[in-house]
Amino acid sequence: MSRLKKTIFTLSAALIFLAVFVFDVVRTTAGQEFGWWQYLREGSVFVAFLLLFLFVHASRTSRPLAVPKNIGRLLAYSFAIVVLMASLMFISRAPADAGGMNQTAQGALQILTSSIVVVSLGLFSISALLTIRELVLYKRKRGTKRNFIAYVAVMLAANGTTLFLLPGDGRIVVTILFSLAVILAVVNSFKQNWVVYLSRREKLFSIAYSALLFLTFLTINLLLGQSAPEQALMRYHLPLQSFIQLNAIFGVIYFGMAFVSALFHLPTAEVYERKQSELTSLHNLSRLVTQVFDFSDLVNTVTSMTLEVVGATSAWLELVKGRREDGAVLVEVVSPKNISLQQIEGIAVDSDLSLRKLIADSKRALSIEDVSADKRTKHIKKLGVPVGSLLSVPLVSHDELIGILHATKDFEYGFDQDDIDVMTTFADHVTIAIENSRLISESLERERFQQEIMVAQRMQKRLLPQRIPSYASLDIAAVSEPSLEVGGDYYDFVALDPQRLGIVVGDVSGKGVSAAFYMAEVKGIFQSLSKICASPRELILRANQALMDSLERNAFVSLLYAVVDLHRSRLSLARAGHCPMIYISGERSDFIRPTGLGLGLTFDDIFDESTQETTISLKRGDVCLFYTDGINEARNPDGEEFGFDRLLQVAVNSRSESAENIINAILQEVRNHTGGFSYGDDVTLVVVKMQ
Amino acid sequence: MADFKVHQRDGEGVSVIDLKGYLDAHTAPDLENAFQRLLNDRKFNIIVNCRELSYISSAGLGVFMAFIEDVRKNKGDIKLTNMSAKVYNVFDLLGFPILYEIFKEEQEAIKRFSEQKKS
């Protein structure tokens, strides 16, 4: 209802009351009846109260207050009414001519005071009825509202009949309706649901308020029977008297019952409050389930909520890491609250009676009611930790124990069945939250890993030569195709001088990021050593020394290093465990395979001793083919390798082609062999042809 | 992915590891565990029988390199036997025969161990 409407309602009501007051004064002074004007007056009074009712109703619903506050307000009103009624009685008892005023003025004053009291009483009754209505309908059931409406209907009927039925035989109808209204008031007074949902503090207030309201309503009832108020009401508006009286009786009955009800519910207040907080906590947790991006935040909230949910003194969470062969449960203690890690280890002693073991075996909640009496936890007493009772619940996901949630209280028998149930439910939520958190972090990790791989792939690409050096009498081609992720294949050229070209092909063991790093290191070593080493053998020996400190024990690098000397028309070659070079000259073809160990296999003298260097002379049309094991190990669907023989055959067959076409021919043949499958490993080919 | 199996049996003064199938980056940890167990049990005379080993990758070769130092430090050795030509070629390319004793038959390796013990 708008403010304007409310103002109009109150103003109209006030005007009507003023008119009625003037009418009353005139009537009293004139001392005669006014015929049908009389009926108009009664009607106006009714309309005025109706307007007041609408106003009060609208004001209430627009300002919803807590139940005890509403009762408190009603109590304040009732006090004011009692005071008003008492003062009315006091005034009416005072000597009529005390002030020495003339009779008209005195009469008017008396009418004014009684009018004010009557209107206030009416207003109060409306307010009381609405307050009681609110309480009765709280958490209503089917029929609750019907009963209340029945009361209001009968009450209004009883009020109405007082106006139309004359004393005598008609009185009986009024009495019956009146009694029926009282009976319905009693029926409605049984609806005290609101009491149940109050906190302990609110219940205490409600007890006091309803007791006082009971008393004030009783007083109002008594005062209504006194001559002065009764006269004033009867003279003002008969139905109003009945209305006020019935509602005052309703008030007495209702608040009497409310007092008793609140008193009886007081002992259960604490239980109710706890249930309420459990519900709130569980509700919070289900919200928490979605906030799983920070694992440490999550477990922190879990233990602090454990404290709340069961009112524990201390709490901690153990994440299961695995089990030892003897059955002991390995855990990581996270986010302990009000207890130290040392104390926790003392409590979860590693024995046959270990709490962790008991829970891991049973996968059920374990409640130790009296820690110092229970044989499983007797040792705790000696620790000096204030633990009286202990509750441990397992976190089970897919039939597997992923953690244990512990809570303690510093007194015995601290956890009842409700606590165990709540903790079990709570543990289920925690399990889901932890699982979700792990899944998220796993997928984040996977993403990060993929990012790393991409970086490594880019790096690997940049480590390979961006262009091939050009020598007038050399036709050079190279290709390197990494497998799915990052491989360890490496090739490089170094233009030593206008007549000499260094060629390296290698394979770093392992794949992925580590292979890319080793490759970077090998490139650095190769690029710097090739400038200062006189021979390929020397480069390989020094490269092995250089790698000594950085290679892991199970990692190695195979390498083939050749230097083409155009001036002398020869090629010198050293091999560190790599696939032999294919050399084709006219009708002759061969695997050139000087002995040599893979870099990193050993750093003893034996490495130097066994590394040899070979020199071959070159002439026009000679083809040198360098490759990695991705070529000869390429498999067909039956698992058969491409092999060295096939490789040699293709190379020989295509020897008259350009370097690039030789490579293409080999790749085509390998693809034919694998049947379009991926090579499985990196493949690298370098062809150097004399022209 | 083809299967890989590691089986261990103990002879007189020697422990034999039988390898079967594909030894690559995925299956290398199985062999690592087998070696680690032997080292934990202080069994340092080890023969790796490769009769049924059909493929070995660089990661597989790395496993031998990871353990040989510790084994030899304890006066033991890892000897390899019964390799197929194809598998031998992989070991050979990298220069393993220079660092490891490789025999055609397991019996020869056992004999070699007992000779070494006497000397």
Side-chain angles (χ1 to χ4, degrees):
Chain A
M1 201 186 283
S2 71
R3 184 177 284 248
L4 180 70
K5 247 180 177 173
K6 281 191 209 167
T7 320
I8 292 172
F9 279 10
T10 32
L11 274 179
S12 326
L15 280 173
I16 293 171
F17 285 129
L18 193 66
V20 170
F21 165 66
V22 172
F23 179 87
D24 284 355
V25 172
V26 172
R27 184 178 62 176
T28 318
T29 322
Q32 61 176 64
E33 296 299 316
F34 278 81
W36 61 270
W37 278 102
Q38 198 71 25
Y39 294 102
L40 185 65
R41 179 193 172 278
E42 301 300 331
S44 305
V45 170
F46 176 75
V47 169
F49 275 104
L50 194 64
L51 288 171
L52 275 186
F53 169 81
L54 290 173
F55 166 73
V56 174
H57 189 271
S59 311
R60 288 183 72 85
T61 46
S62 62
R63 270 184 299 135
L65 287 170
V67 171
K69 261 191 185 163
N70 272 347
I71 309 176
R73 215 168 49 174
L74 187 63
L75 180 63
Y77 295 162
S78 69
F79 268 122
I81 289 300
V82 169
V83 171
L84 263 176
M85 289 173 82
S87 43
L88 176 72
M89 285 165 66
F90 182 75
I91 291 167
S92 61
R93 216 179 285 165
D97 52 358
M101 283 182 286
N102 68 46
Q103 242 179 345
T104 316
Q106 239 177 38
L109 190 67
Q110 208 170 28
I111 289 167
L112 181 66
T113 44
S114 63
S115 295
I116 289 171
V117 173
V118 167
V119 172
S120 307
L121 260 170
L123 201 56
F124 168 71
S125 290
I126 288 168
S127 180
L129 185 64
L130 286 172
T131 305
I132 292 172
R133 174 179 175 273
E134 203 171 82
L135 298 176
V136 168
L137 296 186
Y138 195 89
K139 301 263 173 188
R140 68 181 80 168
K141 291 198 187 73
R142 193 204 307 271
T144 310
K145 191 165 188 180
R146 189 195 59 208
N147 286 349
F148 191 77
I149 290 172
Y151 163 76
V152 173
V154 172
M155 176 198 67
L156 288 177
N159 299 345
T161 46
T162 54
L163 195 61
F164 302 108
L165 296 170
L166 296 169
D169 288 346
R171 251 354 264 191
I172 191 98
V173 180
V174 180
T175 315
I176 288 169
L177 283 173
F178 200 89
S179 313
L180 197 56
V182 172
I183 289 166
L184 282 167
V186 172
V187 169
N188 277 296
S189 295
F190 280 102
K191 287 280 165 247
Q192 304 279 359
N193 286 346
W194 58 279
V195 173
V196 182
Y197 298 95
L198 299 178
S199 69
R200 191 183 157 76
R201 204 179 121 84
E202 287 173 329
K203 273 184 187 142
L204 283 171
F205 272 106
S206 298
I207 289 172
Y209 286 165
S210 13
L212 287 171
L213 271 170
F214 172 73
L215 291 176
T216 50
F217 272 110
L218 205 61
T219 316
I220 291 167
N221 264 311
L222 289 174
L223 291 178
L224 282 174
Q226 297 298 309
S227 66
E230 196 180 19
Q231 289 296 315
L233 276 168
M234 280 171 70
R235 251 185 311 196
Y236 199 80
H237 193 60
L238 258 176
L240 187 65
Q241 186 213 13
S242 154
F243 176 76
I244 290 167
Q245 190 140 38
L246 269 172
N247 281 330
I249 290 168
F250 195 8
V252 171
I253 299 167
Y254 194 83
F255 287 106
M257 299 269 256
F259 169 71
V260 176
S261 168
L263 202 61
F264 278 123
H265 274 103
L266 193 60
T268 60
E270 218 165 329
V271 178
Y272 179 77
E273 259 171 65
R274 224 182 60 189
K275 288 271 166 235
Q276 201 69 17
S277 90
E278 283 165 5
L279 270 175
T280 319
S281 295
L282 286 176
H283 179 68
N284 281 344
L285 189 76
S286 49
R287 261 203 326 242
L288 184 91
V289 168
T290 56
Q291 302 170 347
V292 287
F293 288 99
D294 190 323
F295 194 73
S296 60
D297 274 1
L298 175 69
V299 292
N300 197 25
T301 316
V302 165
T303 44
S304 29
M305 285 182 82
T306 307
L307 295 183
E308 275 177 46
V309 167
V310 291
T313 318
S314 71
W316 70 95
L317 177 65
E318 292 173 355
L319 299 173
V320 173
K321 295 282 161 212
R323 294 193 77 165
R324 270 210 317 258
E325 278 172 22
D326 62 355
V329 187
L330 305 172
V331 299
E332 181 196 353
V333 177
V334 288
S335 171
K337 291 275 152 36
N338 303 333
I339 191 160
S340 72
L341 286 177
Q342 209 184 345
Q343 289 170 329
I344 290 170
E345 281 316 306
I347 289 169
V349 68
D350 183 14
S351 74
D352 281 349
L353 296 174
S354 155
L355 297 177
R356 288 169 188 161
K357 210 167 150 182
L358 290 171
I359 289 163
D361 291 338
S362 70
K363 295 204 182 97
R364 301 179 72 144
L366 174 71
S367 169
I368 306 245
E369 288 172 331
D370 187 348
V371 162
S372 48
D374 198 300
K375 64 176 178 169
R376 293 169 292 195
T377 49
K378 245 190 234 162
H379 62 279
I380 295 176
K381 202 162 51 171
K382 291 178 214 138
L383 300 171
V385 189
V387 174
S389 43
L390 187 135
L391 175 60
S392 305
V393 290
L395 309 182
V396 181
S397 166
H398 300 296
D399 228 21
E400 197 185 324
L401 184 77
I402 64 159
I404 306 169
L405 186 60
H406 301 268
T408 73
K409 285 189 184 178
D410 50 10
F411 51 91
E412 295 79 26
Y413 297 91
F415 298 101
D416 56 21
Q417 190 54 46
D418 280 355
D419 288 324
I420 298 172
D421 292 345
V422 165
M423 270 278 273
T424 310
T425 313
F426 182 70
D428 290 342
H429 282 266
V430 172
T431 309
I432 294 167
I434 288 178
E435 285 291 283
N436 281 351
S437 179
R438 281 181 177 167
L439 284 176
I440 285 169
S441 78
E442 266 171 31
S443 76
L444 285 177
E445 205 155 297
R446 201 160 38 235
E447 206 166 292
R448 208 156 39 225
F449 178 70
Q450 264 154 8
Q451 292 276 341
E452 273 175 31
I453 290 289
M454 270 167 62
V455 170
Q457 271 175 340
R458 272 207 301 275
M459 188 168 133
Q460 190 188 29
K461 238 180 204 150
R462 300 220 29 103
L463 287 173
L464 297 176
Q466 303 301 303
R467 60 197 161 77
I468 290 166
S470 78
Y471 284 79
S473 51
L474 289 179
D475 175 17
I476 307 169
V479 68
S480 185
E481 290 183 14
S483 63
L484 288 176
E485 292 168 354
V486 182
D489 274 14
Y490 168 66
Y491 76 92
D492 209 352
F493 303 102
V494 60
L496 298 167
D497 60 49
Q499 295 297 315
R500 290 198 310 142
L501 168 69
I503 304 150
V504 71
V505 175
D507 189 354
V508 175
S509 75
K511 280 190 178 172
V513 183
S514 72
F517 274 109
Y518 285 142
M519 196 191 287
E521 195 175 6
V522 168
K523 185 182 172 90
I525 290 169
F526 170 71
Q527 288 286 346
S528 57
L529 287 181
S530 60
K531 307 270 168 47
I532 51 173
C533 292
S535 69
R537 179 175 180 270
E538 194 190 338
L539 180 135
I540 279 174
L541 300 189
R542 291 179 70 164
N544 194 44
Q545 288 304 314
L547 284 167
M548 187 161 75
D549 292 329
S550 54
L551 275 185
E552 281 175 80
R553 267 165 69 174
N554 60 354
F556 56 88
V557 178
S558 72
L559 210 74
L560 198 61
Y561 180 45
V563 175
V564 178
D565 188 335
L566 295 170
H567 185 67
R568 293 180 194 164
S569 294
R570 67 180 199 188
L571 177 143
S572 37
L573 175 80
R575 191 181 69 94
H578 197 75
C579 303
M581 185 191 87
I582 290 177
Y583 170 65
I584 306 167
S585 178
E587 292 305 308
R588 231 186 82 203
S589 63
D590 222 340
F591 286 101
I592 309 298
R593 184 178 168 173
T595 50
L597 288 167
L599 300 176
L601 249 63
T602 179
F603 303 101
D604 289 345
D605 293 342
I606 193 164
F607 185 91
D608 296 20
E609 285 159 21
S610 48
T611 301
Q612 292 175 357
E613 186 175 311
T614 305
T615 301
I616 51 174
S617 57
L618 296 172
K619 62 174 196 293
R620 235 182 134 212
D622 284 359
V623 173
C624 296
L625 173 63
F626 307 85
Y627 55 94
T628 54
D629 57 8
I631 297 285
N632 54 286
E633 285 182 4
R635 290 166 189 283
N636 70 7
D638 293 334
E640 191 195 346
E641 290 183 357
F642 187 67
F644 293 99
D645 297 341
R646 276 201 194 90
L647 175 61
L648 185 66
Q649 199 54 53
V650 189
V652 167
N653 292 347
S654 56
R655 66 182 186 276
S656 47
E657 305 276 333
S658 68
E660 194 173 341
N661 282 342
I662 295 173
I663 283 182
N664 289 338
I666 294 169
L667 286 181
Q668 187 55 50
E669 204 56 40
V670 172
R671 272 195 292 269
N672 288 348
H673 176 75
T674 59
F677 277 16
S678 73
Y679 303 120
D681 196 359
D682 316 359
V683 294
T684 299
L685 281 167
V686 177
V687 170
V688 177
K689 190 173 180 184
M690 296 287 287
Q691 57 182 22
Chain B
M1 190 49 62
D3 256 1
F4 176 71
K5 279 205 178 70
V6 178
H7 177 254
Q8 189 211 319
R9 57 202 156 90
D10 286 336
E12 278 174 48
V14 293
S15 302
V16 182
I17 291 175
D18 290 305
L19 301 183
K20 183 180 180 179
Y22 280 58
L23 178 54
D24 57 19
H26 297 282
T27 55
D30 294 351
L31 181 57
E32 271 170 34
N33 292 339
F35 275 128
Q36 195 57 58
R37 269 200 303 275
L38 287 173
L39 262 62
N40 291 345
D41 296 346
R42 306 200 61 75
K43 291 173 177 167
F44 300 111
N45 290 341
I46 302 165
I47 294 171
V48 179
N49 188 322
C50 305
R51 193 196 311 276
E52 291 181 280
L53 182 67
S54 44
Y55 171 77
I56 183 162
S57 78
S58 56
L61 296 166
V63 179
F64 294 96
M65 291 163 56
F67 287 97
I68 189 71
E69 213 173 300
D70 283 343
V71 170
R72 290 195 177 149
K73 224 182 274 169
N74 287 286
K75 307 248 184 307
D77 198 13
I78 300 173
K79 298 188 198 299
L80 304 153
T81 73
N82 303 77
M83 282 182 194
S84 69
K86 210 170 64 185
V87 169
Y88 179 79
N89 198 28
V90 176
F91 278 96
D92 188 33
L93 269 181
L94 203 59
F96 259 57
I98 298 168
L99 300 173
Y100 295 79
E101 286 188 293
I102 300 177
F103 298 93
K104 280 217 155 48
E105 293 300 327
E106 191 182 310
Q107 208 51 45
E108 298 170 44
I110 294 172
K111 215 172 105 189
R112 180 85 180 110
F113 267 124
S114 58
E115 281 167 15
Q116 279 174 332
K117 209 190 272 177
K118 276 177 214 157
S119 61

